Amino acid sequence: MEIKLEGICKSFGANRVLTGVDLHVKSGEIHALMGENGAGKSTLMNILTGIHKADSGKIFIDGKEVIFKNNRDAELHGIAFIHQELNVWPNLSILENLFMMRTPKNKWGFIDYQKMTQLAEEKCKEIGITLPLKKLAGECSVGQQQMTEITKSLMLDAKVVIMDEPTAALTEREANRLFAVMKKLKARGVSVIYISHRMEEVFTNCDRITVMRDGRAIATSLTKDTDMETVVKNMVGRVLSEYYPERTNTPGEEFFKVENFSEPGVFQNISFSLRRGEILGVAGLMGAGRTEIMRAIFGIDHCKTGKIIYEGKEISIKKPLDAIKQGFGFITENRKSEGLILDFSIVQNIALPNGERLSKHYCINKKSEFTFCQKMSEKLGVKAEDIRLPAGTLSGGNQQKVVIAKWVGMNPKLLILDEPTRGIDIGAKRDIYDLMNTLTAQGVSIIMVSSELSEVLGMSDRIMVIHEGKLAGILEHKEATQEKIMTLATGGM
Ligand SMILES: Nc1ncnc2c1ncn2[C@@H]1O[C@H](COP(=O)(O)OP(=O)(O)OP(=O)(O)O)[C@@H](O)[C@H]1O
Ligand SMILES: [Mg+2]
C-alpha cells in the first residue's frame, strides 16, 4: 500500500507543531522517520491514523484521498500503529491483550480461549518469539509488553505498520528478531514506517530515511545515498563531533555497599560497592533481573535477604520514601506507569519528590516551586510550550527529561538510572551524558542500567554484568569490551 501525505499542518493551541509536511511511503518499503524529540514524528503518525485531525493537508492511500475518523477506522483500512508509549492493559493476560476489542466467540457466545491460544501460538511461532500468554501483562517485563504490542498489530494483517520507537525497550536479541519480522513483512509487500533514534539500526534496516526538524520534513533520501553524519546534521541543524563526553573526574572512596541481596527466583547473592562520584554501568539481557535488583535497593520490591551499608552503617530501606530520605533517586525504565503522572502539570511532576525543600511550615510555596521547576527544565532542555501544561502533552523524549529533572532537582547522593536515554534523541542524549559528568564531578554517584552497550561502555567507570539474576562479573572501564560484556551477559566465562 502506498501512502502520500501532502502539506500536513497541525497546531495545538498556539503551538505550531507541523508545518506543511509531505511524506511519501512506497509500498513494500521500510521507511525511517527520524528527528529530535518534539520534531513532530508521533503527531504526524497520529494524524495519519486518525487519532488527531490535521488543520490542513491531505492523505492519499494508493492514490485515493482518505479521511480517517479514528484509529479504528485506520485499522480497518489496514494501517496498524504501534505506539511509542506502551498501551497494554496491566490487569489482563498477554493473551487477552492480544485480542483486545476482537475477542473470538464460540457458538454459545462465550469468549473462545482455546481459539485465542491457538491463533496466538501460531503467530508467535511465525515471528519466532515466545510470550507468556497466561501471565498478566502488568507482571511482564517492558520488553515482553512491547513484543505483545508488536504481535498484536501483526495479527491484524496490516498493509502498513507504523512502529514508533519499538526497540527502545527491547534487547539486542529481541530487536534483531523484530528486524527479521520487518523483512518478512516487506517481502509480503507491507510498508513499514519506522521511527527510531538509533542510527545504526536505521541504517542497517531501512530503505529510505525522512528527517524531520521543528515540524517540517527536511530531507528524504535512500539510505544508501546518505550517511549518519548528514542525517544527524539534518536532525539537529549542527554537526555533533564526539558522541560520548570524556569522563573527567576520578571516583573517590567507597561509601555504598550492597551485600548478598537475594530474592528467590528473581536474583541471588548480589554484592557490589560504589565509590563517590562513580558511574557504575549495569549490563545484562532483558529479564536478567537488573531492574528488579534496583527496585529492591530502592524499597519498591521486597528482598528476602541482604544488607545495604551506607556511609559505613547498615541502613534499612523498606519503602521508596526511606530511600528518598537517604538522598537516593530512582529514574525508572517505565516512565508512563512509574515515572510521571501524565495529568499533572510539568511543574507538579518536577516538584513531586522535592516537596520538603519547596515548602515552609508544611505549605508549598507556589512561586519558588515554579522558579525551581523552570530552572530544572531549562537545565535539561525540556521542550515545552508552558510548564504549567500537563506532562502528557509533551513528546515522549521530553517526558523522559521531566522524569530526570524531577530526581536531579532533589540533589541526590546516589541516582539510579534505569535506561536513562531510552527514546531520547541524539542531541539530548549528549546533554544527559554531560549532566551525568557534572553530577559525578560534584560527588553524586550513579548506577546506570542500560541495554545500549555502547552507552554502558562510553559512560561507565565500572561495568557490572548480570546474568539470570546472578552477578556474572564486574569489569573496569579500561578492560571492558563489547565482546566481554556480551559473553558474561549470556552466561559464558
Ligand atoms: N496532545 C497534545 N497536546 C499539546 N501538544 C502536543 C500534543 N501532542 C504533541 N504535542 C506537542 O507537539 C510537539 C511534537 O510532539 P511529538 O510527540 O510529535 O514529537 P516526536 O517527534 O514524536 O518526539 P519524540 O522523539 O520525543 O517522541 C511537541 O512540542 C509536543 O509538546
Ligand atoms: Mg514521539
Side-chain angles (χ1 to χ4, degrees), residues 132-156:
L133 294 175
K134 293 209 180 90
K135 212 166 159 184
L136 288 185
E139 287 168 2
C140 292
S141 70
V142 176
Q144 284 170 328
Q145 295 181 17
Q146 182 70 278
M147 276 320 229
T148 304
E149 289 230 52
I150 293 166
T151 313
K152 184 174 150 190
S153 79
L154 297 179
M155 294 183 82
L156 292 169

Side-chain angles (χ1 to χ4, degrees), residues 265-482:
V266 188
F267 47 82
Q268 293 86 43
N269 287 320
I270 304 292
S271 301
F272 65 91
S273 64
L274 201 60
R275 288 174 290 168
R276 260 185 239 286
E278 181 178 38
I279 299 180
L280 176 72
V282 184
L285 300 178
M286 190 77 67
R290 295 169 302 165
T291 295
E292 287 75 8
I293 296 167
M294 297 309 139
R295 287 168 60 96
I297 293 174
F298 204 70
I300 302 173
D301 286 345
H302 182 255
C303 170
K304 189 142 193 283
T305 51
K307 281 198 271 201
I308 294 180
I309 316 280
Y310 178 53
E311 309 277 12
K313 278 200 290 279
E314 184 176 346
I315 56 166
S316 147
I317 296 181
K318 295 227 156 52
K319 50 184 186 311
L321 196 60
D322 299 339
I324 294 171
K325 280 193 178 140
Q326 297 287 353
F328 304 165
F330 187 13
I331 298 175
T332 59
E333 64 169 339
N334 194 349
R335 60 176 169 258
K336 197 174 185 186
S337 65
E338 290 165 16
L340 275 189
I341 305 177
L342 295 177
D343 295 334
F344 277 25
S345 73
I346 299 162
V347 173
Q348 284 167 316
N349 270 292
I350 297 180
L352 218 52
N354 299 298
E356 217 155 296
R357 184 142 50 94
L358 297 170
S359 57
K360 236 187 204 159
H361 314 301
Y362 300 101
C363 261
I364 299 267
N365 179 335
K366 283 282 168 211
K367 197 159 157 233
S368 62
E369 179 184 81
F370 187 82
T371 326
F372 168 79
C373 295
Q374 196 161 36
K375 201 181 82 200
M376 285 316 301
S377 56
E378 265 165 27
K379 193 164 166 182
L380 284 158
V382 176
K383 207 170 150 198
E385 205 204 338
D386 186 337
I387 59 170
R388 280 164 295 207
L389 287 175
T393 63
L394 291 176
S395 78
N398 280 300
Q399 289 181 13
Q400 178 75 340
K401 290 190 213 166
V402 172
V403 179
I404 298 179
K406 163 175 147 180
W407 291 110
V408 169
M410 66 175 245
N411 285 330
K413 308 246 175 13
L414 165 64
L415 254 186
I416 303 173
L417 311 179
D418 198 353
E419 307 287 357
T421 65
R422 170 184 296 165
I424 290 207
D425 74 53
I426 211 161
K429 256 186 186 171
R430 176 62 202 248
D431 293 343
I432 287 177
Y433 298 142
D434 284 334
L435 182 76
M436 285 168 72
N437 264 342
T438 314
L439 287 170
T440 50
Q442 291 163 1
V444 180
S445 303
I446 294 177
I447 302 177
M448 175 183 71
V449 177
S450 171
S451 298
E452 234 177 283
L453 278 187
S454 61
E455 174 172 279
V456 172
L457 281 165
M459 289 306 295
S460 315
D461 298 311
R462 284 184 306 147
I463 297 161
M464 168 161 91
V465 188
I466 307 292
H467 168 66
E468 290 181 352
K470 295 195 190 70
L471 186 68
I474 296 183
L475 301 167
E476 287 291 331
H477 175 254
K478 56 179 185 299
E479 55 163 346
T481 60
Q482 196 137 345

Side-chain angles (χ1 to χ4, degrees), residues 34 179 196-206 223 228 243-244 426 429 452 454:
M34 301 195 77
F179 299 140
S196 172
H197 290 294
R198 296 191 181 172
M199 215 48 93
E200 291 90 8
E201 62 181 37
V202 165
F203 272 83
T204 17
N205 298 292
C206 300
T223 310
M228 294 193 192
Y243 199 61
Y244 294 101
I426 211 161
K429 256 186 186 171
E452 234 177 283
S454 61

Side-chain angles (χ1 to χ4, degrees), residues 12 15 17 36-43 52 84 165 197 393-398:
F12 289 106
N15 186 13
V17 174
E36 286 191 288
N37 297 131
K41 305 176 296 291
S42 301
T43 305
H52 288 324
Q84 182 168 15
E165 291 188 46
H197 290 294
T393 63
L394 291 176
S395 78
N398 280 300

